[in-house]
Amino acid sequence: MVIYAHSLDDRGEDDWERLACHLKNVGARAAIHAASFGAAQLALAMGLLHDIGKCSVSYQEYIRRPVDGKGTKGPDHSTAGAQRAVEIYGRLVGRLLSFGIAGHHGGLMNGDGHEGGSLTSRLGKTVEQHDGWQTCTGALPKDLQQSMRPPRRNDIDAAFSLPFLARMLFSCLVDADFLETEAFYSAAEGGDPPERGGRLSPDHVQTTRAFLARHRRDDTDVNRLRSRILDHANARAGLEPGLFTLTVPTGGGKTLTSLSFAMEHAAVHDLRRIVYVIPFTSIIEQTASVFRDDVGLGDAVLEHHASFDWDQRRPASDDSEHEGASGLEKLRRSAENWDAPVVVTTAVQFFESLFAARTGRARKLHNLAKSVIVLDEAQSIPVHLLRPCLAAIEELAKNYGASVILCTATQPALRRDDAAMFKGVDKTPDGLVIPEDRELAPDPARLYERLRRVTVEWRRDAVTDAELVTHFAKREQMLCIVNSRNHARLLFSRLREEGQDGAVHLTTLMCARHRQDVLEKIRGDLAHGRGVRLVATSLIEAGVDISFPEVWRAAAGLPSLAQAAGRCNRSGELGPLGEAFGRVVLFESAEHPIPDAINAFYGPARTVLRQERADPLGLDAVREYYRELYWRKGEAALDAATLEGRDYPILKALADTLRGLAWPFADIARAFRMIDQAMDPVIVPFDDEAAEAIAVLRGAPFPPRAVVRRLQRYVVPVPSRVRLAMIGVGAVQCIRPDVYGDRFAVLENRSLYDEQSGLRLDDPVWRAGEDNIF
């Protein structure tokens, strides 16, 4: 009997894919994926063994049944390869490979656990005979343990490296399996596999150079400083790959500087791609647009938005053998293995993928090897996950040939030297080892002095909304940033009730297109000296190019205060830099309690502000803030994930299971959450363009990528339970739920969307608990 891996329901067996061909193709592609970090032979063995369970009689009978006789899940064919891996390669290498082999459909599992749900139980499971597998695999790689390159020691946690290797090998296997299966079905349909973006080329580097040359300006102090920063960073492109910092004040051009350095550095060291990681979804599209349209990189730029994150909505376990027959899901996810020259993504997507268990999220990880990773606003890494995140950053830079740039206006004290300088802790936690010569900006302390544009006042007495409204009345142009969407809505309503000219509101309850329209009007009014009294949530701090002479900021940490200050006298329009200053006021609200999530950052800020430094946003003050925020807490607070209501420190979980090689991958994936409250998209038919795109989506056989991309501008994120309640009462309806499930939920009740304040969440059915939504 001929042994097959994949069938074609409308073709004879002569056109089916033989298992031997599939195993060898997957093994070869997985080896190519892993070659970038010296693990090609390990990945080859995984690819050759991953599907040998298909040699069983029951599986071959299953694959030959008519479509209507097949279930959604065939007989187990993953366990056999995992068991053979341990038998052939021994406990260490065998278990390292078997995690990925056993989980290549359902995802990485825990090493130990309840029956049927762990690797240990799978390795002890009785599997069906799969005679003939050796003929299908051919000769397997030998002496894998001797060929394993010992990893360089992880400075954050030495126990992190081996399970991270298991995760990266898993990524190589599942991506190779996906791509080879896709290639087979595409060929069967008479076509080629969908094209992917590939890797950086000399043309991408030259395009970036040409853009920067055309736009270089040395006509003002600010532009001369930007040019100096750019030149200084590019001059360090020849440094060996590894960890870097780029510490540039707001307005210093750090986005284009980091892109330029990344291009030049990649060209020198033959690195494959640039991954730009941004903490705020609201500016991903803006940054990608600059790279794609302004710089001219075009289709080389891939955006990965959470709003339409296909793999997020995929079932946790998918063992379907016939998904590839239509190719639709594969086409929709084809770009999500990050096989593109420039990737712009969210911090949530990036870090949660590094700790993910599901195949859809993990398959992209191997493409981080030999890449340049720019962590924009690096200070936004959640404190309770800091040490696991640092361990992953360290691992990518030290053992996977990546360069990681910590890029920020307020460089967090993440270096070991920063931690060692802090007094008052019993044990100094480990930080990243980044030598001073790896700073890409020239003399950051001097830069901060020269680019200083504001003075900061700290109001120690609580301020009422009535006082804020009164102060607004005294200023023609003023911005107030508050900590919740509810506070912003109430304060804006009071401004309107007072009849103040130029009252404007910005919130994430507006879709991006709506916010864009509002911002364009604000910029025009500011430029022409008209009154603008803007109330906004923290979204205004996320790279929005706008400038007021005075900015008030509700209680927050120093990084948020610095971001708020970046919206004040942004280009030095009030006078010479270092001489004429805008006014920034930090205040506590008398009527809206500081959210717990904010208070954790405001506390360390108060400690620094009480010292009454000349510039509370200077580098010394910022370093002191981060030492207070991070290192006084101790290691436990920096690895403080939770799982099902109990403490679940991730690095400890890996270290505790290292001896038994029983890492709890599935539990770690559930525990590692950058954002506690899940948010789901609601599509708002804000204008004719949105309505047309929604109409196309209703009639298309599958979602056209161009339409999905267009609709991202019309999404409002709301808590999952809120959207569920809105669907329940018919205010929101899902497009073709029989095909797409709840992926595309459209606002049907237009009275719930206000032209000045966005989506209304004041209905008691879903209003509760919204006070502290940012």
Side-chain angles (χ1 to χ4, degrees):
M1 180 175 66
V2 178
I3 300 174
Y4 293 104
H6 297 108
S7 62
L8 294 166
D9 297 321
D10 57 347
R11 307 274 190 87
E13 291 187 14
D14 287 346
D15 292 332
W16 293 7
E17 184 178 34
R18 298 193 176 206
L19 180 60
C21 182
H22 177 66
L23 295 181
K24 290 169 184 175
N25 287 345
V26 172
R29 190 184 287 263
I32 292 171
H33 289 338
S36 60
F37 52 93
Q41 291 300 295
L42 294 168
L44 172 61
M46 292 177 73
L48 292 174
L49 290 171
H50 80 287
D51 267 358
I52 63 171
K54 289 185 176 182
C55 290
S56 69
V57 172
S58 63
Y59 192 90
Q60 290 303 305
E61 289 176 348
Y62 162 80
I63 204 172
R64 287 171 167 82
R65 294 176 200 157
V67 175
D68 56 7
K70 292 187 176 79
T72 58
K73 185 176 181 179
D76 173 13
H77 60 271
S78 303
T79 301
Q83 293 180 351
R84 298 293 84 74
V86 175
E87 290 175 4
I88 295 167
Y89 296 114
R91 179 174 173 273
L92 173 59
V93 175
R95 284 186 74 94
L96 194 67
L97 307 185
S98 64
F99 271 105
I101 295 172
H104 77 269
H105 281 294
L108 286 171
M109 60 196 71
N110 292 335
D112 287 321
H114 63 277
E115 181 63 30
S118 71
L119 180 65
T120 298
S121 62
R122 291 281 290 274
L123 293 178
K125 176 182 176 181
T126 300
V127 297
E128 293 189 53
Q129 292 295 322
H130 40 283
D131 298 336
W133 68 268
Q134 296 94 333
T135 301
C136 292
T137 63
L140 295 171
K142 298 180 179 179
D143 302 323
L144 290 187
Q145 187 159 345
Q146 294 181 13
S147 69
M148 282 182 63
R149 185 176 61 187
R152 297 164 66 191
R153 187 184 186 280
N154 190 292
D155 290 317
I156 306 300
D157 195 307
F160 191 79
S161 295
L162 202 56
F164 195 83
L165 174 59
R167 195 181 289 281
M168 291 292 275
L169 288 169
F170 172 65
S171 168
C172 294
L173 174 62
V174 295
D175 195 36
D177 190 26
F178 181 98
L179 294 174
E180 288 301 328
T181 302
E182 178 185 65
F184 166 73
Y185 282 111
S186 295
E189 294 170 4
D192 296 323
E195 292 186 10
R196 287 173 173 78
R199 55 179 296 168
L200 287 170
S201 72
D203 287 345
H204 299 132
V205 180
Q206 188 56 44
T207 296
T208 305
R209 288 174 181 166
F211 169 80
L212 291 168
R214 290 194 306 270
H215 290 80
R216 188 184 184 101
R217 300 287 184 272
D218 294 320
D219 52 339
T220 66
D221 285 345
V222 171
N223 284 333
R224 281 190 287 274
L225 274 175
R226 287 171 178 165
S227 295
R228 183 183 169 215
I229 293 166
L230 177 67
D231 292 343
H232 188 273
N234 285 342
R236 279 165 164 65
L239 291 175
E240 286 301 307
L243 297 171
F244 295 89
T245 56
L246 177 61
T247 311
V248 177
T250 301
K254 65 182 174 67
T255 298
L256 289 176
T257 294
S258 60
L259 176 67
S260 179
F261 170 80
M263 285 286 183
E264 300 295 339
H265 186 62
V268 171
H269 297 288
D270 194 29
L271 303 183
R272 302 184 298 172
R273 61 185 44 82
I274 298 167
V275 181
Y276 214 94
V277 183
I278 299 173
F280 310 108
T281 305
S282 56
I283 62 168
I284 286 182
E285 189 171 69
Q286 171 185 308
T287 303
S289 177
V290 169
F291 294 167
R292 182 177 53 245
D293 303 324
D294 298 348
V295 177
L297 293 171
D299 291 340
V301 180
L302 168 69
E303 299 172 60
H304 193 164
H305 291 273
S307 298
F308 292 99
D309 180 3
W310 299 111
D311 56 24
Q312 183 177 355
R313 302 202 179 274
R314 187 175 177 78
S317 176
D318 182 1
D319 216 6
S320 173
E321 288 300 313
H322 294 272
E323 177 199 351
S326 67
L328 301 183
E329 184 73 7
K330 290 177 168 56
L331 289 172
R332 284 195 291 268
R333 293 173 53 206
S334 62
E336 294 190 4
N337 65 347
W338 289 359
D339 185 7
V342 180
V343 179
V344 184
T345 190
T346 64
V348 171
Q349 179 65 228
F350 176 78
F351 283 109
E352 290 193 357
S353 294
L354 285 170
F355 293 88
R358 289 167 44 214
T359 57
R361 275 216 158 169
R363 61 179 285 230
K364 65 176 76 74
L365 296 185
H366 69 89
N367 275 326
L368 295 176
K370 294 202 71 175
S371 296
V372 185
I373 301 165
V374 181
L375 294 180
D376 191 30
E377 307 299 347
Q379 77 281 355
S380 65
I381 299 173
V383 175
H384 74 290
L385 296 173
L386 184 67
R387 292 192 70 240
C389 289
L390 293 186
I393 292 169
E394 170 79 11
E395 197 65 25
L396 288 169
K398 185 162 281 187
N399 291 315
Y400 293 86
S403 283
V404 183
I405 307 168
L406 305 178
C407 179
T408 177
T410 53
Q411 195 63 250
L414 301 179
R415 296 161 62 250
R416 177 176 292 181
D417 290 347
D418 296 320
M421 292 170 62
F422 189 74
K423 307 299 182 184
V425 294
D426 295 333
K427 177 182 181 296
T428 301
D430 288 329
L432 297 173
V433 178
I434 310 178
E436 294 290 346
D437 64 357
R438 310 282 286 187
E439 169 59 56
L440 300 178
D443 193 1
R446 178 61 177 154
L447 283 179
Y448 274 72
E449 291 177 13
R450 295 191 63 185
L451 285 172
R452 187 182 177 196
R453 298 181 294 268
V454 304
T455 58
V456 176
E457 303 172 25
W458 181 31
R459 289 284 297 267
R460 303 193 184 206
D461 297 329
V463 178
T464 66
D465 281 2
E467 290 175 297
L468 287 172
V469 170
T470 299
H471 195 80
F472 263 117
K474 298 176 182 177
R475 299 289 184 270
E476 283 294 312
Q477 296 181 342
M478 176 177 147
L479 163 64
C480 182
I481 304 172
V482 295
N483 283 327
S484 75
R485 302 196 293 201
N486 185 45
H487 188 184
R489 178 178 59 86
L490 294 173
L491 184 56
F492 171 66
S493 296
R494 294 192 67 159
L495 289 178
R496 282 201 296 184
E497 290 168 4
E498 294 281 336
Q500 294 196 17
D501 294 336
V504 197
H505 184 208
L506 270 178
T507 170
T508 52
L509 289 175
M510 298 172 172
C511 66
R513 178 56 189 268
H514 188 180
R515 294 197 303 268
Q516 178 185 354
D517 291 347
V518 172
L519 281 168
E520 287 178 1
K521 183 177 186 307
I522 290 173
R523 291 188 182 103
D525 289 342
L526 289 171
H528 290 89
R530 293 189 283 267
V532 180
R533 297 173 170 93
L534 174 60
V535 179
T537 57
S538 60
L539 73 90
I540 195 74
E541 299 168 352
V544 177
D545 186 5
I546 198 168
S547 184
F548 286 81
E550 186 164 329
V551 175
W552 285 54
R553 181 52 165 104
L558 286 193
S560 294
L561 181 62
Q563 291 291 342
R567 311 318 122 191
C568 183
N569 193 24
R570 184 172 176 82
S571 298
E573 61 269 18
L574 299 181
L577 292 179
E579 298 178 21
F581 304 111
R583 185 187 185 207
V584 176
V585 180
L586 183 68
F587 71 96
E588 295 181 20
S589 171
E591 296 152 316
H592 299 269
I594 304 171
D596 291 341
I598 296 294
N599 215 18
F601 298 94
Y602 184 50
R606 282 197 299 262
T607 299
V608 175
L609 290 166
R610 289 191 188 105
Q611 298 170 5
E612 298 183 352
R613 297 169 182 261
D615 182 7
L617 296 180
L619 281 186
D620 288 344
V622 169
R623 286 195 181 103
E624 183 66 24
Y625 166 81
Y626 279 111
R627 291 180 194 127
E628 187 76 22
L629 178 66
Y630 296 154
W631 307 123
R632 184 180 290 279
K633 295 175 182 295
E635 289 185 357
L638 307 181
D639 183 10
T642 59
L643 180 63
E644 298 174 351
R646 58 188 171 88
D647 293 341
Y648 195 84
I650 288 171
L651 295 186
K652 185 177 185 301
L654 290 173
D656 288 348
T657 52
L658 178 62
R659 183 179 296 275
L661 304 177
W663 304 294
F665 289 118
D667 284 348
I668 286 172
R670 289 191 296 137
F672 190 97
R673 288 289 176 265
M674 296 276 284
I675 299 175
D676 290 334
Q677 185 170 34
M679 305 289 275
D680 283 330
V682 170
I683 301 170
V684 177
F686 179 72
D687 57 18
D688 290 343
E689 182 181 354
E692 291 172 6
I694 291 168
V696 170
L697 198 58
R698 292 187 192 279
F702 62 89
R705 291 189 64 86
V707 171
V708 171
R709 187 179 195 172
R710 200 180 315 150
L711 284 175
Q712 288 169 350
R713 305 171 65 198
Y714 298 96
V715 162
V716 173
V718 300
S720 300
R721 59 169 184 77
V722 170
R723 192 179 75 157
L724 189 61
M726 297 176 97
I727 293 172
V729 299
V732 168
Q733 294 184 9
C734 296
I735 295 178
R736 300 180 65 188
D738 57 323
V739 178
Y740 304 135
D742 64 349
R743 291 171 179 167
F744 305 109
V746 177
L747 182 69
E748 295 292 333
N749 185 349
R750 286 299 308 276
S751 67
L752 292 177
Y753 195 87
D754 186 271
E755 292 296 325
Q756 291 185 299
S757 56
L759 188 63
R760 288 174 45 206
L761 297 182
D762 52 3
D763 189 298
V765 173
W766 50 75
R767 176 69 190 84
E770 281 299 294
D771 286 354
N772 295 329
I773 299 298
F774 297 91

